[in-house]
Amino acid sequence: MAKQRRRPIFLLIVIVVLLVGCVGLVAGYLIVSSETTRLFGPPTPNLTLTQRVLYPLELFIHREAMSAPTDPGGLDTDFTIEQGESVSMVCLRLEQSGLIDDAELFRTYLVYSGLDRQLQSGTYHLNAGLSPLAIAADLLDATPTETVVTVLPGWRIEEVAANVAASGLPISAGEFTAAAYAPAPELVAMLPVARAPSLEGFLFPGSYTASRESDLNSVLTMMLSAFGDNVGQDLLDGFSRQGLTTYEAVTLASIIEKEAVVDDEKPLMASVFYNRLAEGIRLETDPTVQYGLGYQEDLQTWWKSPLSSEDLTVDSAYNTYLIYGLPPTPIANPDLSSLQAVALPAETPYFYFRSACDGSGRHNFATTFEEHLNNACGQ
């Protein structure tokens, strides 16, 4: 009986010990959290519950690492954050560049403080002689001296304009679009063409580093200069051998850019279009119709897909299901591989191609219309 009476006392002691331990843990955590706030600032309200618990502990444990430079004798280094680059990739590249020691710890600090949401694209002047905390502060300069403007292959003028406007340059999308569709004579003079009613097709894809004070003319000049630097005399001679003017070649390359998913099929597609042109067969390519339709408000895109049967009957100079030959202008800005495919096409008997049914993005090519029909999915 005595032993049984002692059990409640034992349980009470255990409960008291656990409560004291919990109180100690909570008190200890509050002390750590307070110290972390003193050293690193308050946490952002955007943290999850797990992050609120773990991130202050991690930063407190590694507080010395966050305040110590990676290389006290480090030299100034230019570090560029690309448009759309993830915070994790930025941190990893900082570590690979020798500017910080621990990418994951640095990311933890950026997320803890909410600074991960404030990073801007641009080029920053950093130094490994600074602590990770100081480097983070330098990355948050709201006005880095340079920014990066990206032009993706297959973008039309309006899509390029939107990205320029979002880059931090003092250029609106409307200003860029207007200047590209009605280019100044000195800009057209930079191109190896006899005429250019717009700059569509000549805004060469790539990433451009520009001063944040760059004006519209200098940005367009950079893109057009890149076209000239990449499209040399060998390509111009190749266009001529195919019986095309340079403007016509860029137009065909822009169609191939929008049709192709993998680069190695571009010369095959070029051969299909050349064969159809030679035989007087309409090109019948969807991207030209999409270009002519323009922006689709309901779909929030410049490139409607799929097209309806009504779309294919729209009266447009870009509807290659109705017109013969090439459309009047390029429909997008092609990359170098598309331009090379036009200059050096494959030699094939193909007149048709359609998407393969395996989701690979590749195409099946055919010589006859019957073969083309047999390549349809579900056959």
Side-chain angles (χ1 to χ4, degrees):
M1 295 295 292
K3 291 183 178 179
Q4 291 179 349
R5 284 196 295 269
R6 281 196 293 269
R7 285 180 182 172
I9 297 175
F10 175 75
L11 290 176
L12 182 60
I13 292 172
V14 171
I15 291 172
V16 170
V17 170
L18 290 175
L19 287 174
V20 171
C22 289
V23 170
L25 285 174
V26 171
Y29 175 77
L30 291 176
I31 292 172
V32 168
S33 180
S34 176
E35 184 65 9
T36 302
T37 299
R38 185 183 71 82
L39 294 171
F40 300 101
T44 176
N46 298 316
L47 295 180
T48 65
L49 178 60
T50 301
Q51 290 171 334
R52 282 185 174 278
V53 173
L54 296 181
Y55 282 12
L57 290 174
E58 184 174 356
L59 291 173
F60 179 78
I61 292 170
H62 299 287
R63 58 191 181 281
E64 292 184 2
M66 286 298 295
S67 60
T70 298
D71 179 8
L75 302 176
D76 287 342
T77 301
D78 285 344
F79 183 84
T80 299
I81 297 179
E82 305 288 348
Q83 277 186 306
E85 189 172 14
S86 70
V87 173
S88 295
M89 181 55 67
V90 170
C91 295
L92 179 60
R93 290 200 301 107
L94 284 168
E95 181 182 307
Q96 293 172 341
S97 300
L99 290 164
I100 61 173
D101 284 326
D102 190 331
E104 189 57 37
L105 177 62
F106 193 76
R107 179 185 177 279
T108 295
Y109 169 68
L110 293 180
V111 175
Y112 164 87
S113 59
L115 302 181
D116 61 316
R117 297 167 180 252
Q118 300 179 38
L119 294 181
Q120 297 184 17
S121 63
T123 298
Y124 299 81
H125 304 297
L126 306 178
N127 192 308
L130 299 175
S131 69
L133 281 176
I135 287 177
D138 283 349
L139 285 175
L140 293 169
D141 179 0
T143 55
T145 57
E146 296 178 323
T147 188
V148 177
V149 179
T150 300
V151 179
L152 292 185
W155 274 358
R156 55 184 287 162
I157 284 173
E158 292 85 353
E159 292 171 294
V160 178
N163 216 35
V164 169
S167 69
L169 293 173
I171 303 169
S172 72
E175 291 171 328
F176 187 96
T177 301
Y181 274 116
E186 59 268 23
L187 293 175
V188 177
M190 297 176 62
L191 302 175
V193 295
R195 66 178 185 89
S198 80
L199 300 181
E200 192 78 272
F202 298 95
L203 304 175
F204 199 75
S207 292
Y208 300 89
T209 300
S211 165
R212 284 193 176 267
E213 287 75 39
S214 297
D215 60 16
L216 175 58
N217 189 70
S218 64
V219 172
L220 288 170
T221 297
M222 279 195 298
M223 296 176 184
L224 299 181
S225 295
F227 183 93
D229 292 341
N230 284 273
V231 182
Q233 192 60 47
D234 55 338
L235 283 183
L236 298 178
D237 291 341
F239 301 153
S240 181
R241 284 194 298 270
Q242 302 303 323
L244 298 181
T245 66
T246 298
Y247 195 80
E248 290 170 335
V250 174
T251 301
L252 181 54
S254 71
I255 296 173
I256 293 171
E257 185 65 60
K258 295 302 298 182
E259 285 280 15
V261 176
V262 293
D263 285 350
D264 62 18
E265 287 188 345
K266 290 179 177 180
L268 295 173
M269 290 183 175
S271 75
V272 169
F273 291 128
Y274 276 127
N275 289 342
R276 295 177 76 91
L277 289 169
E279 294 297 322
I281 303 173
R282 287 186 288 259
L283 297 186
E284 298 184 348
T285 174
D286 287 2
T288 61
V289 179
Q290 294 168 327
Y291 186 82
L293 290 175
Y295 190 71
Q296 303 296 298
E297 192 68 42
D298 55 334
L299 301 174
Q300 299 289 292
T301 181
W302 288 98
W303 306 97
K304 181 182 180 182
S305 182
L307 293 173
S308 67
S309 56
E310 290 78 11
D311 294 330
L312 302 184
T313 63
V314 169
D315 184 12
S316 166
Y318 292 90
N319 187 349
T320 52
Y321 286 85
L322 299 180
I323 68 165
Y324 287 87
L326 294 166
T329 70
I331 62 169
N333 292 283
D335 67 9
L336 184 59
S337 63
S338 295
L339 293 161
Q340 290 170 332
V342 173
L344 298 168
E347 293 186 12
T348 77
Y350 300 140
F351 284 86
Y352 307 90
F353 62 83
R354 72 189 323 154
S355 297
C357 305
D358 57 4
S360 64
R362 304 190 72 86
H363 293 77
N364 292 320
F365 293 79
T367 301
T368 68
F369 187 63
E370 182 179 5
E371 292 173 350
H372 181 59
L373 293 177
N374 289 334
N375 284 335
C377 298
Q379 295 296 316

